[in-house]
């Protein structure tokens, strides 16, 4: 030691723990830093083996590690280790210890310097950070969204959660090159947004990606800089989620609203048109019935009636695609409908298209209008034929299926339960995604001279009205498959029906309520022609007053469903409270929607859809009177 320097004073000025040991580990000198917290003096520890001092007495494992460190330093090694040190009975600290040998000119170790720094707080923070990081990793690796961290200055990807592999279908190592997976139509826009992000701006964007298997998914990606907004961000945190199903649902919702608006317009047009057609076809019947068999005017009237019939078919199509046609559903085996339609379907598709049927031997029952179901099959057949002008294969398949709550996005919005599935698959060139978005829209065609564009719209409307679901799947160059899902039902055994009604004429009294004057006049004339006594009015309130003042019976109420001041079902309800034996026949040029609003079931009431012929009206009246 140099005489001008007070070594002890120097050591006591050091905040860290410093001790000087002999090569055999005896404590020769120690500074004040470790002594004061323990309430010790130098004389309490000087001259004692370092490993046996108070700090280590209750930590045998620390004593063993400490002795190994001292021995290694005595051999000339520099040792650095962390040790648990007891400062007081109730306080333990962690010391970052370093043991350094001091050697003489001969290279022999003559002293050991032991130093240590209290790193208890740092260890606590490190432990807390490790726990936080572990919790973060657990959260990031269990959520369905992709979470990532990048350094925008270096471009380094610091972290990507496993959800990236599930959504992109690519390994996490490819995250930095994820631009390559972006759909070509969206790539330029997304890359431009990335450039904006590079100067520190937030972004939120949606785009498509193409997975390695060729499927397309929609992704929403958001990112924000991490840190003080007043300084350049050193990290960017981002999250990306698969929004394909949500966008599909949004598209379906928008399409539904669009179709609903068109449907309301079409239904209103069909209502007024049906009233006109009722008058045209009805008076054609009346005039024709009055002509002699050889009358030259019969041919002209026949053409008028044919035109009226064709017009009525068009209004039925309008109501069908808008899901507002009046159906006559029955419980039947879907396989039977397919078999009954096969002969007609073969004629429709022609000889160049091969027809294959794969029907489930245990196929279930559905509740549909058989006529409309046949028409739906024919419409799909025509659509398939048009897709294969040079020939191909049309495959029809039926199968009982069970749709669960976790169905694929193609069945999104369909209630879970048992269904009967009908699939019609063609081997045509397939349909682009753009065209698929418009397939079920009315009057939508893909070229000139390809029909009215109502075929698929009618199918879609009828299936939806039957509580079913229709979907299309198509791949360019492979073909197109339409799948119809109809709720599977159990047949109900009904008792034998009553005897067939007698002829259409009669002498009963009928109360006729119809707000359209022309239809009312025609209906009255037809009913009187068949022998009935008819009281007529265009107003529900007036009809009830007439019924209240009439002494005789009213055998039948014939009423339109939708009328301005009082709807037909309300007229019927009030009339039946005072005349409970009166029968009711509803008719309407409007839609099935009006029947639903008034909770009228077709299974329990008599109903006649406009336009109707004279003979059909007479038969329906007789049927209603016969109960």
């Amino acid at each position: 030691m140099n005489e001008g320097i007070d070594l002890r004073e120097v050591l006591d000025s050091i905040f860290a723990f410093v001790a000087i040991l002999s090569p055999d580990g005896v404590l020769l000198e120690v500074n004040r830093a470790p002594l004061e917290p323990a309430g010790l003096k130098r004389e309490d520890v000087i001259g004692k083996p370092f490993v046996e001092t108070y700090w280590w007495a209750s930590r045998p494992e620390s004593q063993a590690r400490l002795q190994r460190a001292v021995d290694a330093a005595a051999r000339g090694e520099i040792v650095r280790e962390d040790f648990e040190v007891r400062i007081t009975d109730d306080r333990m600290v962690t010391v970052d210890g370093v043991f350094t040998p001091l050697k003489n000119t001969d290279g022999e170790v003559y002293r050991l310097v032991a130093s240590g720094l209290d790193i208890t707080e740092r260890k606590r923070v490190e432990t807390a950070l490790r726990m936080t990081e572990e919790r973060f990793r657990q959260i990031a690796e269990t959520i369905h969204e992709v979470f990532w961290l990048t350094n925008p200055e270096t471009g380094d990807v610091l972290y990507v959660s496993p959800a990236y592999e599930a959504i992109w279908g690519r390994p996490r190592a490819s995250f930095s090159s994820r631009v390559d997976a972006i759909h070509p139509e969206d790539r330029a826009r997304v890359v431009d947004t990335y450039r904006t992000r590079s100067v520190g701006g937030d972004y939120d964007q949606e785009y498509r990606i193409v997975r390695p298997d060729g499927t397309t998914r929609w992704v929403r990606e958001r990112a924000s800089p991490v840190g003080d907004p007043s300084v350049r961000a050193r990290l960017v945190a981002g999250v990306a989620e698969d929004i394909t199903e949500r966008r599909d649902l949004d598209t379906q919702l928008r399409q539904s609203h669009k179709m609903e608006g068109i449907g309301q317009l079409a239904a209103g047009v069909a209502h007024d048109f049906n009233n006109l057609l009722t008058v045209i076809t009805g008076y054609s019947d009346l005039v024709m019935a009055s002509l002699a068999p050889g009358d030259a005017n019969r041919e002209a009237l026949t053409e008028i009636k044919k035109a009226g019939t064709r017009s009525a078919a068009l209004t039925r199509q309008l109501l069908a695609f808008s899901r507002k046609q009046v159906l006559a559903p029955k419980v039947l085996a879907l396989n039977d409908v397919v078999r009954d339609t096969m002969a007609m379907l073969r004629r429709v598709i022609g000889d160049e298209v091969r027809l294959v049927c794969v029907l489930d031997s245990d196929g279930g029952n559905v509740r549909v209008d058989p006529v409309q179901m046949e028409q739906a099959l024919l419409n799909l057949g025509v659509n398939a034929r048009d897709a294969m002008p040079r020939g191909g294969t049309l495959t029809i398949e039926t199968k009982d299926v069970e749709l669960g709550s976790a169905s694929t996005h193609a069945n999104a919005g369909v209630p879970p339960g048992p269904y009967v599935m009908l699939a019609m698959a063609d081997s045509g060139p397939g349909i682009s995604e753009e065209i698929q978005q418009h397939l079920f829209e009315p009057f939508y065609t893909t070229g000139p001279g390809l029909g009215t564009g109502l075929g698929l719209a009618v199918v879609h409307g009828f299936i939806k009205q039957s509580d079913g679901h229709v979907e299309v799947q198509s791949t360019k160059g492979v073909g197109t498959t339409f799948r119809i899902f109809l709720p599977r039902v159990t047949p109900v055994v009904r008792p034998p029906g009553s005897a067939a009604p007698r002829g259409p004429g009669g002498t009963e009294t009928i109360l006729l309520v119809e707000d359209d004057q022309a239809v009312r006049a025609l209906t009255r004339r037809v009913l009187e022609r068949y022998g009935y006594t008819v009281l007529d009015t265009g107003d529900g309130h007036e009809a009830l007053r007439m019924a209240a003042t009439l002494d005789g019976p009213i055998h039948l109420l014939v009423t339109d469903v939708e009328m301005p001041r009082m709807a037909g079902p309300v007229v019927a309800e009030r009339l039946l409270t005072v005349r409970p034996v009166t029968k009711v026949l509803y008719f309407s040029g409007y839609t099935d929607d009006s029947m639903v609003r008034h909770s009228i079931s077709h299974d329990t009431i008599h109903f006649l859809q406009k336009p109707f012929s004279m003979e059909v009206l007479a038969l329906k009246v007789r049927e209603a009177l016969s109960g």
Side-chain angles (χ1 to χ4, degrees), residues 185-199:
E185 296 178 6
D186 299 338
R187 190 172 299 158
R189 170 175 58 84
V190 176
V191 170
D192 184 63
T193 302
Y194 286 161
R195 292 195 186 102
T196 303
R197 188 277 309 275
S198 68
V199 297

Side-chain angles (χ1 to χ4, degrees), residues 12-140:
D12 286 342
S13 67
I14 298 174
F15 176 76
F17 158 73
V18 179
I20 298 176
L21 316 178
S22 66
D24 57 357
V26 174
L27 183 60
L28 303 178
E29 186 60 80
V30 64
N31 67 340
R32 186 185 302 138
L35 297 176
E36 289 183 346
L40 297 174
K41 299 178 179 179
R42 281 186 176 82
E43 53 267 26
D44 295 330
V45 294
I46 295 297
K48 293 183 180 178
F50 184 62
V51 298
E52 296 179 6
T53 56
Y54 173 81
W55 307 303
W56 321 101
S58 59
R59 302 283 292 181
E61 65 277 13
S62 293
Q63 286 183 336
R65 291 178 57 229
L66 185 64
Q67 187 62 62
R68 288 194 296 271
V70 170
D71 294 342
R75 293 194 298 270
E77 301 175 20
I78 298 176
V79 180
R80 181 170 185 171
E81 283 193 59
D82 293 347
F83 298 94
E84 294 291 327
V85 177
R86 181 179 294 280
I87 297 299
T88 64
D89 289 339
D90 57 355
R91 182 186 173 199
M92 296 291 297
V93 297
T94 302
V95 174
D96 178 13
V98 180
F99 293 86
T100 306
L102 300 180
K103 299 179 181 179
N104 58 24
T105 56
D106 296 329
E108 296 175 345
V109 175
Y110 71 94
R111 290 288 186 272
L112 305 178
V113 177
S115 62
L117 185 65
D118 185 349
I119 58 171
T120 306
E121 183 61 21
R122 191 187 81 189
K123 282 289 187 180
R124 186 191 67 78
V125 173
E126 288 177 351
T127 301
L129 286 175
R130 281 196 301 272
M131 294 177 63
T132 301
E133 180 181 353
E134 182 61 28
R135 284 196 293 267
F136 160 78
R137 190 175 296 276
Q138 289 175 353
I139 294 172

